Amino acid sequence: MNQLVYLIPLLPLIGFLINGLLRKSLSKSVIAIIGSGVILASFVISLVLFFQVKSSGGQIINYFNLINLDKLVIPFAFQIDQLSSLFLLIITGIGFLIHLYSAAYMHEETNEHYGRYFAYLNLFVFSMLLLVMGANYVIMFFGWEGVGLCSYLLIGFWFKNDNYNYAAKKAFIMNRIGDLGFLLAVFWMIAKIGTVNYTDVFAATSNFSSADITAITILLFIGAMGKSAQIPLYTWLPDAMAGPTPVSALIHAATMVTAGIYMITRSNILYSLSEVTQHLVAIVGLATALFAATIAIKQNDIKKVLAYSTVSQLGYMFLGLGVGAYTGAVFHVMTHAFFKALLFLGAGSVIHAMHHEQDMRKMGGLKKYLPITHITFLVGCIAISGIPPFSGFFSKDEILAAAYAKNPIYWGIGVATAALTAFYMFRLYATTFLGNFRGSHEQAHHLHESPSAMTIPLIVLAALSVVGGFFNVPEVLGGHSSLHQFLSPAITSEVVHEASHSTEYMLMGISVAVAVIAIVIAINKFSKKPELQDAQGFAKVLENKWYVDELYDNIIVKPLNSLGSFFKNIIERRGIDGMVNGVGKLVNYSARQLRLLQSGLVGGYILFMVLAIIVLIYVWINDNHILSFFYKYF
Amino acid sequence: MVPVWLILIPLLTGLVSFGLQNAKAVKAWALFSTIISTTLIIAGIYFLNPSSLQFNATWLKLLGSNFSFKLDGMSKMLCLLTAASFLIIFIAINKNEYKNSKSFYALMLLMQAGFMGVFTATDALLFYFFWELALIPAYFLCSMWGGEKRIQVTFKFFVYTFAGSLIMLCGIIYLYFQTPNQTFSLESFYNLHLSNKQQYILFWLFFIAFAIKMPMFPFHTWQPDTYEQSSTGVTMALSGVMAKMGIFAVIRWVVPIFPEAVNHFSNIVIILSIIGIVYASLIAIRQDDIKRLIAYSSIAHISLMCAAIFSQNNTAMQGVLIQMFNHGIVVIGLWIVADAVEQQVGTRKLSELGGLAQKAPALAIFIVVLAFANVALPLASSFIGEFLMLSGLFQYNIIMAAIAGTTIILSSIYTLNMVQKIFYGNTVTLTEKAVDISGNIKIALTILVIIIIVLGVYPQPMFNLVK
Amino acid sequence: MPIQYYIILALVLFCIGIIGVLIRRNAIIIFMCIELMLNAANLLLVAFSKMHNAAATANNTNVGIEGQLFVFFIMVVAAAEVSIGLAIIVMMFRNVHSIDINFLNRLKN
């Protein structure tokens, strides 16, 4: 089986090459089959690998040396262990469903763009696979940048629209800010211990000072902030909605944003050694969770709500990482992948039916037109709200329990966020599916359920969202924490918190009760009277996302631009080039002045001759002093 | 004999092409010449007897200067870069029409001969000779073909670099008198025991000449003007190969001869380089002209190489060595794209362009790959180089590495800006009638993209070459 | 007579020559001043030669009279120079009808 490991990333790469190079000559169905087929094949291999890892543990497979210098050896190697094999399943599994869905969703595109779309999608999966399979930070960085590239290409997929292009560029640049942090962390490791392999780094933690570890983990976390859209680098993710909807599903559920969680989980040994960083991670995660949830409440674009919900849920995961509940975070990645992919694809189905209308205020009452989408979407909403026994409940509960053990305030804010989550999700649900249809007659006429290629992934994902939680039922509820046990070889620094069963029951009860209350309020409030008018007052601040984009624009983008202009127009033109040209002008000027000496008057020439002779005689008499000056320096 | 032939082939074919009448024949002849050169250097690297890579003959016995050449690792790589670059340049500009094309191609070949001489010479006088020999054809190429302000700009370029060279000549002559038996050979320069004070002065004599050539902040102002005004074929050679002459010369003629001075001044040079990185990147963000944008981007990248050299660290040095090659390849690709856009649309102003991807999809794919190579994305060869350079710089000083590292953010801003403004969005009146690139440009760009990706995934052959 | 007298005389002659060259504009006067300077040099040569010769005869050593020979050389050269110079001045007078050297500025510009 090990011989097949390289096929997992290679197959999507081949799919990328075929679809990318031959897209003009292949028919759409062939493109779709190749595009989804390679991912399915990778999924099958990953599944086999998963069970192999489960029975016989992980391993590292070396292929060749990427960099082989005297002091620095960076192998191109894959590490297949519990953590990466789990992520492989999520990426390829969800990825496959999204590919399948895309085959129908993107069918209106011309052949060329259809092929381009699948090529990008395959490349995206390839990069993400590289990211999780790499056995060192550099290979991870390959995938890390690769997903940045693919998100750029896919967000700007409809490149005729300039706003989309700006969103794509923004995503890439924000990611790059984080990437610099990641790179510096890698350099730090190289400088201190000369290796970047996970096993070597984790074995050599004693060679780091505690300041080193704090610096490395914070720098890595900056990388994660960019990729996983945490404060302050989160603003690209909502804008990334510019891409086709299945791409959003891919970015938000299976790939890209989970990269930061994966990386920190992978480095759990380092993170557990730095108390400071752990606090930082938890606080940033919590702040992001709450902040994004408040924004989500007032968004009217169906995809924007989901986007902010992703940012918020990612905040949860970082809270989990910060309090040492690594498995909880990974578990939430998994369940979140199920229900967020479901929600995005459901939203895609709605948008498809509404002919690319994304404003919720123009929807309503879609329940009866889109029955399958409606049911599956509802499942997704319940799951994300954390209602038992849906999957979101278990993963969220695990993070909240760990947060409570660390600091009850964390838990309190977490529960408040959970209530907000339930509120905005059911606001979305009620506005979209309940009530009366508010769109135009033409749209009403065309409303129809999506084709089966789109509904099948929805049904599969809905089923997973329901049962996904049972992979890791905590002991307090009579389970075995199976995911916990499975991941324990890869996550050695898990903080095990001991709490009495009664406390745990109480925590669960409170969070569920809060969520239910929020749901009831939301349905009551929005099913009959959705918010149609523009927001006022504080709501307007929320609707405008706390004006963070404007803030960044004013404090970073504009000053940088004006600095650039200043350099270009003043320093460069007047200063440096002015100096260089000044030398030229000086020569020119002095030549012009000296030319005046050439008066043509013989008397003048003779005068100069005489003066020169006098100077020469003077030099001759004092030659020791003058010449020794030259000898001294040359 | 290989190094001599590497110089003689372009020299002789260049002289011959002055006499050819037919424009097509000249193009074919130049292409033929570069194919021979490329084959020869590849053969020299992989197949020929190592003893054939050296050449030694008495030349100016009276002066103690020998006609001696040697192909060591770095020279091999740079000669390969020179030969391959000119091959790709000649393929890419094959469809362009130049007035008096026989002189154009002849001068290009003569310039190639100069480059080869610079990269292989192991005698200071010979080195200086070729250093100037490369400049003279460059002067004529820039002043005879190109934009409206070319005469003025080329004059500045020539005087500026020439002034630098003269300072270096003073240094060379001084070193010559320091050698025990009055010789110009590189080896005897290496064996000199210079006092610190001597090193400090001589260091600047040499370094300023090379810094102008690279060019490095604040000696760079000739470069954007020259790159903008000269015809793009020439610009490719200038930025792809000639800029590497400066880096090469620092590694060969400064670092080993003045180790104490390098140590002493490394801080100053690195700080200047880092200022150059940020400064040039910020200016590139605000550029409206494609060629000027690429020119400033090139300054930023070259500055990083310079900073890495002076971090005096093996990792960084390896990075610089392979980055010289990678940067040459990437930047030539960018120039080819810039040229293709200009030929198609007739303007280089970003504000007047847009939507070209709809009209020229193949070109759009190439530019995306090249753009991401320019921002040093992994899987592109330049990532390996920048990674090693920044890593080495990090070991020198963390803060400096962090500031230099902003290049990965800033470069993505200006590069993506350029790609977006040219290729994305809706077509404008100028791009309405554009068509896709012709076959020869496709071939040239395909070769470049393959080199970029292969070396990005498996850079070891390059490391082995420069070892 | 002490040598100093000769030196001072020569210096005075030489300075008169220089000043004449500098301040007069008549080419012929300048010419004469140049001759004056040459002759100041000649005078010095003869004076030194005589001085050295006298000292040498006292010591019974053979010292030549190269200094005085040089004077003849200079006189010959000066004669040649005068012939060419006067020819130039004649040509100049024919062209510009003046021998004021300030009219000799055609090479300017």
Side-chain angles (χ1 to χ4, degrees):
Chain A
M1 198 62 220
N2 295 335
Q3 295 79 22
L4 293 180
V5 167
Y6 67 89
L7 280 179
I8 297 176
L10 191 63
L11 283 169
L13 186 65
I14 292 171
F16 159 70
L17 290 175
I18 294 175
N19 278 340
L21 296 176
L22 306 176
R23 61 188 194 282
K24 281 179 195 158
S25 44
L26 296 177
S27 74
K28 279 188 198 173
S29 45
V30 175
I31 290 172
I33 288 169
I34 292 173
S36 336
V38 288
I39 307 293
L40 183 63
S42 290
F43 176 68
V44 172
I45 300 173
S46 308
L47 202 62
V48 177
L49 211 59
F50 178 79
F51 286 109
Q52 201 187 20
V53 169
K54 199 171 179 193
S55 59
S56 56
Q59 59 187 317
I60 293 170
I61 303 154
N62 269 307
Y63 290 100
F64 57 90
N65 281 334
L66 185 68
I67 293 172
N68 184 4
L69 302 174
D70 302 336
K71 284 185 194 156
L72 179 67
V73 179
I74 297 175
F76 191 92
F78 288 152
Q79 178 162 2
I80 304 299
D81 63 356
Q82 290 78 7
L83 187 61
S84 52
S85 62
L86 181 69
F87 267 85
L88 286 183
L89 281 186
I90 298 173
I91 295 160
T92 52
I94 309 275
F96 168 67
L97 291 174
I98 292 168
H99 276 72
L100 189 63
Y101 179 94
S102 301
Y105 187 86
M106 299 297 286
H107 214 265
E108 296 159 20
E109 297 288 328
T110 60
N111 238 18
E112 194 184 338
H113 293 306
Y114 196 70
R116 191 163 64 93
Y117 175 81
F118 272 96
Y120 290 165
L121 226 52
N122 282 346
L123 188 65
F124 208 146
V125 174
F126 161 75
S127 308
M128 195 64 200
L129 291 172
L130 209 56
L131 193 158
V132 297
M133 290 173 78
N136 59 52
Y137 284 99
V138 173
I139 303 296
M140 183 195 265
F141 191 71
F142 270 54
W144 191 266
E145 292 275 52
V147 291
L149 164 70
C150 296
S151 65
Y152 170 78
L153 294 173
L154 280 167
I155 294 166
F157 180 75
W158 286 307
F159 56 73
K160 282 187 200 170
N161 185 325
D162 261 331
N163 285 336
Y164 294 180
N165 294 325
Y166 280 116
K169 202 169 72 181
K170 183 174 174 185
F172 190 79
I173 291 166
M174 285 225 145
N175 270 299
R176 278 241 139 179
I177 297 173
D179 294 346
L180 178 60
F182 191 116
L183 263 187
L184 290 174
V186 173
F187 296 151
W188 206 301
M189 290 178 209
I190 292 176
K192 289 290 167 189
I193 56 172
T195 175
V196 288
N197 295 338
Y198 299 141
T199 42
D200 300 339
V201 172
F202 302 148
T205 46
S206 54
N207 295 358
F208 291 117
S209 68
S210 64
D212 286 340
I213 292 200
T214 306
I216 289 173
T217 48
I218 286 180
L219 287 170
L220 282 175
F221 179 54
I222 291 173
M225 277 176 188
K227 200 106 310 185
S228 296
Q230 295 298 294
I231 290 174
L233 300 178
Y234 71 95
T235 54
W236 66 271
L237 189 61
D239 287 8
M241 294 300 107
T245 310
V247 172
S248 311
L250 195 62
I251 291 178
H252 288 244
T255 60
M256 186 105 183
V257 294
T258 57
I261 318 285
Y262 171 78
M263 187 263 287
I264 292 184
T265 314
R266 182 53 91 191
S267 327
N268 64 77
I269 296 176
L270 295 178
Y271 275 84
S272 308
L273 291 172
S274 172
E275 192 74 7
V276 180
T277 317
Q278 283 205 306
H279 278 294
L280 182 72
V281 172
I283 289 167
V284 168
L286 205 55
T288 311
L290 186 64
F291 189 74
T294 56
I295 298 175
I297 291 175
K298 283 291 167 195
Q299 296 303 308
N300 290 320
D301 184 322
I302 185 168
K303 284 173 79 180
K304 282 266 159 82
V305 178
L306 293 176
Y308 280 102
S309 125
T310 305
V311 177
S312 172
Q313 296 298 312
L314 287 166
Y316 260 113
M317 297 174 206
F318 278 98
L319 171 64
L321 297 172
V323 298
Y326 298 104
T327 316
V330 173
F331 187 33
H332 201 56
V333 166
M334 189 173 98
T335 57
H336 179 256
F338 297 150
F339 57 69
K340 192 46 67 66
L342 168 62
L343 288 170
F344 264 113
L345 296 184
S349 178
V350 169
I351 294 166
H352 192 66
M354 296 285 297
H355 283 267
H356 298 281
E357 177 59 64
Q358 301 190 6
D359 193 334
M360 298 194 302
R361 288 172 293 191
K362 297 188 180 136
M363 297 175 184
L366 297 181
K367 190 171 152 185
K368 59 175 183 257
Y369 302 104
L370 307 168
I372 301 175
T373 309
H374 165 245
I375 292 293
T376 51
F377 201 88
L378 181 61
V379 170
C381 287
I382 298 174
I384 197 175
S385 306
I387 305 297
F390 288 62
S391 57
F393 165 73
F394 294 98
S395 53
K396 202 178 270 186
D397 172 67
E398 189 165 336
I399 291 173
L400 286 176
Y404 184 80
K406 186 95 169 182
N407 188 338
I409 296 172
Y410 289 174
W411 176 84
I413 299 174
V415 170
T417 309
L420 287 177
T421 309
F423 181 78
Y424 66 69
M425 283 318 295
F426 276 87
R427 170 177 173 268
L428 169 66
Y429 168 76
T431 322
T432 311
F433 289 99
L434 303 181
N436 297 318
F437 186 67
R438 296 179 296 274
S440 64
H441 280 292
E442 206 178 333
Q443 281 171 327
H445 189 67
H446 285 112
L447 278 177
H448 56 87
E449 183 56 279
S450 303
S452 55
M454 286 165 73
T455 50
I456 290 171
L458 290 179
I459 294 167
V460 175
L461 286 168
L464 285 169
S465 302
V466 176
V467 301
F470 295 107
F471 291 122
N472 192 25
V473 179
E475 273 166 56
V476 63
L477 294 177
H480 302 287
S481 301
S482 14
L483 190 67
H484 231 283
Q485 286 166 13
F486 172 71
L487 285 178
S488 57
I491 303 174
T492 50
S493 316
E494 179 87 23
V495 176
V496 182
H497 52 88
E498 297 293 335
S500 67
H501 280 197
S502 58
T503 321
E504 296 224 357
Y505 285 131
M506 184 194 75
L507 296 180
M508 282 177 199
I510 293 175
S511 63
V512 171
V514 167
V516 170
I517 293 167
I519 290 171
V520 172
I521 294 174
I523 289 187
N524 273 337
K525 189 160 185 252
F526 297 109
S527 58
K528 294 286 176 286
K529 292 187 295 183
E531 289 172 325
L532 295 178
Q533 69 284 17
D534 284 331
Q536 299 293 324
F538 184 61
K540 198 173 164 75
V541 175
L542 292 184
E543 193 178 351
N544 285 303
K545 309 144 198 165
W546 296 91
Y547 296 102
V548 171
D549 277 328
E550 287 80 359
L551 182 74
Y552 285 178
D553 205 41
N554 281 322
I555 63 168
I556 297 170
V557 179
K558 280 182 188 160
L560 262 189
N561 276 340
S562 25
L563 190 64
S565 298
F566 174 72
F567 281 161
K568 179 186 160 199
N569 296 326
I570 310 291
I571 303 271
E572 180 83 349
R573 203 163 294 166
R574 305 255 170 79
I576 298 172
D577 207 24
M579 216 138 58
V580 174
N581 289 340
V583 173
K585 277 189 189 135
L586 186 73
V587 170
N588 226 333
Y589 173 79
S590 35
R592 221 174 305 129
Q593 298 305 313
L594 283 173
R595 211 182 59 148
L596 297 179
L597 293 176
Q598 212 79 338
S599 56
L601 297 177
V602 179
Y605 297 157
I606 297 170
L607 178 64
F608 282 120
M609 197 175 83
V610 172
L611 290 177
I613 289 169
I614 291 169
V615 169
L616 279 177
I617 289 171
Y618 178 80
V619 170
W620 175 58
I621 293 168
N622 297 296
D623 72 339
N624 282 339
H625 301 285
I626 294 166
L627 291 181
S628 64
F629 173 79
F630 286 101
Y631 289 138
K632 205 163 130 195
Y633 289 98
F634 294 98
Chain B
M1 276 309 275
V2 174
V4 179
W5 281 116
L6 282 176
I7 298 163
L8 281 181
I9 291 169
L11 194 67
L12 296 177
T13 51
L15 291 175
V16 169
S17 43
F18 273 119
L20 293 175
Q21 289 308 321
N22 185 333
K24 270 196 176 144
V26 177
K27 284 176 182 171
W29 177 245
L31 208 57
F32 171 72
S33 160
T34 49
I35 289 173
I36 302 276
S37 301
T38 316
T39 326
L40 181 63
I41 178 70
I42 291 175
I45 292 170
Y46 292 107
F47 305 115
L48 295 181
N49 187 351
S51 63
S52 68
L53 300 181
Q54 285 199 25
F55 182 81
N56 222 324
T58 39
W59 184 36
L60 302 170
K61 211 171 182 180
L62 203 64
L63 285 173
S65 172
N66 270 326
F67 202 65
S68 62
F69 300 96
K70 190 182 166 194
L71 272 172
D72 63 355
M74 182 164 55
S75 306
K76 280 182 201 163
M77 186 195 73
L78 286 165
C79 288
L80 180 63
L81 172 70
T82 311
S85 302
F86 275 87
L87 178 60
I88 290 164
I89 292 169
F90 286 147
I91 294 174
I93 62 175
N94 197 31
K95 292 268 160 63
N96 295 7
E97 291 303 329
Y98 295 97
K99 63 172 201 303
N100 197 358
S101 63
K102 61 178 182 182
S103 310
F104 181 84
Y105 281 91
L107 288 167
M108 286 289 273
L109 287 168
L110 291 183
M111 188 160 68
Q112 187 192 350
F115 292 155
M116 292 289 192
V118 168
F119 292 141
T120 51
T122 54
D123 183 279
L125 199 63
L126 208 55
F127 168 76
Y128 181 79
F129 174 76
F130 282 109
W131 182 269
E132 297 298 358
L133 187 68
L135 183 61
I136 293 162
Y139 172 76
F140 285 112
L141 284 166
C142 295
S143 60
M144 286 163 76
W145 293 271
E148 284 157 12
K149 289 193 293 182
R150 62 176 187 271
I151 305 281
Q152 200 183 334
V153 161
T154 313
F155 183 70
K156 181 163 149 191
F157 158 60
F158 185 80
V159 171
Y160 209 150
T161 50
F162 197 71
S165 312
L166 282 181
I167 303 175
M168 173 177 74
L169 185 62
C170 298
I172 290 178
I173 291 172
Y174 183 86
L175 284 179
Y176 165 72
F177 285 117
Q178 296 299 307
T179 52
N181 42 2
Q182 315 275 292
T183 151
F184 281 106
S185 84
L186 181 64
E187 204 138 321
S188 59
F189 281 16
Y190 283 178
N191 293 330
L192 285 175
H193 297 289
L194 299 166
S195 72
N196 284 1
K197 206 165 153 192
Q198 286 174 316
Q199 289 198 15
Y200 294 166
I201 294 170
L202 286 166
F203 169 82
W204 289 109
L205 294 183
F206 279 81
F207 184 72
I208 286 179
F210 303 149
I212 291 171
K213 206 74 156 192
M214 281 182 216
M216 193 188 109
F217 179 88
F219 305 106
H220 65 274
T221 47
W222 62 268
Q223 188 249 36
D225 291 343
T226 310
Y227 285 7
E228 180 196 354
Q229 289 296 325
S230 45
S231 121
T232 314
V234 180
T235 313
M236 291 176 208
L238 291 186
S239 69
V241 187
M242 197 186 238
K244 309 301 169 303
M245 271 166 52
I247 301 279
F248 161 84
V250 170
I251 298 176
R252 169 143 302 168
W253 294 93
V254 171
V255 176
I257 301 181
F258 316 116
E260 266 311 306
V262 169
N263 208 6
H264 190 250
F265 293 119
S266 61
N267 256 327
I268 299 176
V269 175
I270 293 178
I271 287 172
L272 277 180
S273 306
I274 288 172
I275 292 174
I277 293 171
V278 177
Y279 176 82
S281 302
L282 283 175
I283 292 182
I285 292 173
R286 301 301 292 168
Q287 281 302 336
D288 194 39
D289 184 299
I290 305 173
K291 285 175 93 174
R292 287 188 83 85
L293 194 153
I294 303 174
Y296 279 105
S297 143
S298 186
I299 294 177
H301 287 116
I302 297 272
S303 298
L304 179 58
M305 290 184 220
C306 187
I309 294 174
F310 282 83
S311 66
Q312 296 169 289
N313 166 304
N314 184 39
T315 316
M317 192 55 98
Q318 291 287 341
V320 176
L321 290 175
I322 67 162
Q323 187 67 2
M324 280 198 270
F325 188 87
N326 297 334
H327 177 258
I329 294 294
V330 173
V331 87
I332 287 175
L334 287 173
W335 290 120
I336 293 176
V337 172
D339 190 37
V341 170
E342 197 184 353
Q343 300 279 342
Q344 280 291 327
V345 189
T347 181
R348 294 191 307 256
K349 293 257 173 287
L350 290 178
S351 47
E352 294 170 8
L353 287 163
L356 206 57
Q358 294 160 48
K359 299 290 171 188
L363 185 61
I365 293 170
F366 285 120
I367 182 67
V368 168
V369 177
L370 288 167
F372 284 102
N374 194 40
V375 304
L377 202 81
L379 293 180
S381 55
S382 32
F383 170 73
I384 307 283
E386 288 206 1
F387 178 81
L388 292 174
M389 289 193 290
L390 286 172
S391 169
L393 197 56
F394 188 88
Q395 287 164 44
Y396 180 81
N397 185 316
I398 294 172
I399 304 293
M400 287 179 184
I403 300 173
T406 55
T407 177
I408 72 163
I409 301 168
L410 296 172
S411 67
S412 56
I413 296 176
Y414 60 71
T415 312
L416 296 187
N417 246 341
M418 177 181 79
V419 173
Q420 181 190 344
K421 295 234 172 90
I422 303 175
F423 288 95
Y424 296 155
N426 273 317
T427 50
V428 292
T429 40
L430 277 173
T431 50
E432 204 57 55
K433 284 186 240 92
V435 290
D436 213 346
I437 44 177
S438 52
N440 60 320
I441 296 180
K442 268 186 200 161
I443 294 171
L445 288 174
T446 312
I447 298 173
L448 292 176
V449 165
I450 289 173
I451 297 176
I452 288 170
I453 291 179
V454 167
L455 289 180
V457 180
Y458 191 61
Q460 204 57 41
M462 251 328 147
F463 288 129
N464 295 339
L465 185 58
V466 297
K467 204 163 256 178
Chain C
M1 255 207 308
I3 189 79
Q4 285 89 342
Y5 294 173
Y6 293 102
I7 294 176
I8 290 166
L9 176 61
L11 267 177
V12 169
L13 283 176
F14 194 82
C15 289
I16 291 171
I18 285 181
I19 292 165
V21 167
L22 289 182
I23 63 175
R24 298 306 293 262
R25 299 192 309 205
N26 188 316
I28 296 200
I29 305 268
I30 291 174
F31 223 78
M32 286 156 70
C33 289
I34 292 172
E35 289 302 313
L36 204 55
M37 286 192 280
L38 282 170
N39 283 324
N42 282 347
L43 180 62
L44 266 184
L45 281 169
V46 173
F48 280 117
S49 174
K50 182 80 180 95
M51 184 187 84
H52 284 298
N53 205 15
T57 351
N59 293 339
N60 279 330
T61 46
N62 266 333
V63 172
I65 44 167
E66 291 90 346
Q68 294 170 30
L69 281 178
F70 253 100
V71 172
F72 289 107
F73 275 107
I74 292 173
M75 285 161 90
V76 171
V77 170
E81 181 208 324
V82 165
S83 61
I84 293 171
L86 283 178
I88 291 173
I89 291 170
V90 169
M91 290 305 292
M92 175 187 158
F93 187 76
R94 281 193 193 160
N95 275 311
V96 296
H97 298 288
S98 161
I99 48 170
D100 189 332
I101 53 164
N102 286 0
F103 285 100
L104 285 178
N105 57 359
R106 288 224 183 139
L107 284 176
K108 193 187 171 192
N109 301 329

